[in-house]
Amino acid sequence: MSHHEQDPRIKIAKRVAQELREGDIVNLGVGIPTLIPDYLGKKQVYLQSENGLLGMGPTPPEEKIDMDLISASKKPVSMLPGASLFDSADAFAMIRGGHVDVAVLGALQVDQSGEIANWAVPGQRILGVGGAMDLLAGAKKVIVTLTHQTKNGDPKLVKTLTYPRTGLRKADLIITEKAVFQVADGQLILVEKDPELTLGQLRSITDAHFEIAADLSVSFK
Amino acid sequence: MNKYKKADEAVKLIKSGDTVLVGGFGLSGTPLTLLDALTHHHAKELTVISNNLGEEGRGLGKLLLSGQLKKAIGSYFTTNRDAVAAWSRGELEIELIPQGTLAEAIRAGGAGLGGFYTKTAVGTKLAEGKEVREIDGEWYLFQKPLKGDVALIKAAKADKLGNLVYHRTARNFNPAMATAADLVIAEVDEIVETGTFHPEEVVTPHVYVDVVVRNRYVKKGGKYVVPS
């Protein structure tokens, strides 16, 4: 990464922040999604945390930390004016019942139909799922965030998932540091692309088939 | 009616082979005093239903190290390395359930329902062996209710009748678990006179609570610590 290039995770977080609308009820998954609140500016969204909080605020100063007030990542948080508290069953009724506008999920892989894998790695011990499957099944809109390739350079946007899938529900929008894809009719459609990358270069690092939007933007910096 | 007991007396009501619901999300809203007391009690071969297994050597993590657990049912155990190791050695059975399905299965257990259909986990490894059916054009899987012989829960305060109020996100699984076991033991920071709570602030009505014990931990710098 040269000095003028930004951290891909931050680039992705900034782009998701643009996607969220004023007043949205949003659940942020672990990893890249937790960076998003820093880039919302004046846009007011309401963060839902599945351990029982709507109206989650930023990390409090040291003297105000209370481990009875934590995020789903078990980190100390604060409450904003208008916040509400509820139990886990109600928190997931809110999610499953379609009352959360957007879930932003991290993912290990996405296939070319928009199906995602974000909870388990083949061959490794599968001892945790948390709320990943509930969020995917229940949120009104699912935005998936992931870096475009693995550390070894393998594509994460694949023809067929090799990791266990998280559910039948497909993502609505996929955001990497290189491109933005919409999912429509079981296909990926490239809607934005990093200007420093040709289409050929993008295809060479993307295993999944994708269509190109008629109004493709090449200004995703 | 006096529901108050000391923690070491209360845990004597737990028998070997029992299924025990344990409240908490990580260590937040976990009945630490009851779990400590349980490690000094003979009950073993326990099946625990809890979102996590605490942390290494803390909360339910302590009960794991004391060798009293046979099986854990919950949503996320990877944050306790001891749990992963015990499972690898074949010393601990694990049943993984998505977090929302876990919470709802406990609520169903407490509400006298025979289960429910959910879209969560359809088409995944966690759906294996579960009945799947189509309802109004979408696929759902059947989840049976979960109940316990005993529930160990944590609240902020109880009144002398056993009404409970909670503190912030330490509520988590506790209210649902309070409804879903034959015997419910609530650990609280403070016991107040009946009538102190406004009826609208009571989250768990006293009908669900059998025994109340006092938390011996104190809060310091936002964390529960053993009093010095």
Side-chain angles (χ1 to χ4, degrees), chain B residues 4-32:
Chain B
Y4 177 76
K5 279 192 196 309
K6 288 189 169 166
D8 52 355
E9 290 295 319
V11 297
K12 285 182 185 162
L13 300 167
I14 302 170
K15 302 180 299 295
S16 287
D18 272 356
T19 294
V20 185
L21 304 174
V22 180
F25 188 88
L27 292 172
S28 184
T30 297
L32 299 173

Side-chain angles (χ1 to χ4, degrees), chain A residues 7-10 13-14 28-29 31-40:
Chain A
D7 180 339
R9 294 158 48 89
I10 290 173
K14 284 180 178 168
L28 299 177
I32 296 171
T34 59
L35 303 171
I36 295 164
D38 289 344
Y39 305 102
L40 285 168

Side-chain angles (χ1 to χ4, degrees), chain B residues 16-63:
Chain B
S16 287
D18 272 356
T19 294
V20 185
L21 304 174
V22 180
F25 188 88
L27 292 172
S28 184
T30 297
L32 299 173
T33 305
L34 282 167
L35 292 173
D36 286 353
L38 188 50
T39 60
H40 300 120
H41 176 58
H42 61 80
K44 50 185 188 295
E45 295 284 301
L46 301 172
T47 293
V48 156
I49 301 177
S50 189
N51 192 50
N52 320 99
L53 278 178
E55 292 175 5
E56 293 85 0
R58 302 190 67 196
L60 272 168
K62 232 180 215 182
L63 208 58

Side-chain angles (χ1 to χ4, degrees), chain A residues 51 67-70, chain B residues 23-30 154 167 169-172 174:
Chain A
N51 54 323
M67 294 312 283
D68 280 352
L69 185 62
I70 56 172
Chain B
F25 188 88
L27 292 172
S28 184
T30 297
K154 167 71 174 56
H167 188 229
T169 55
R171 185 182 308 196
N172 54 63
N174 290 296

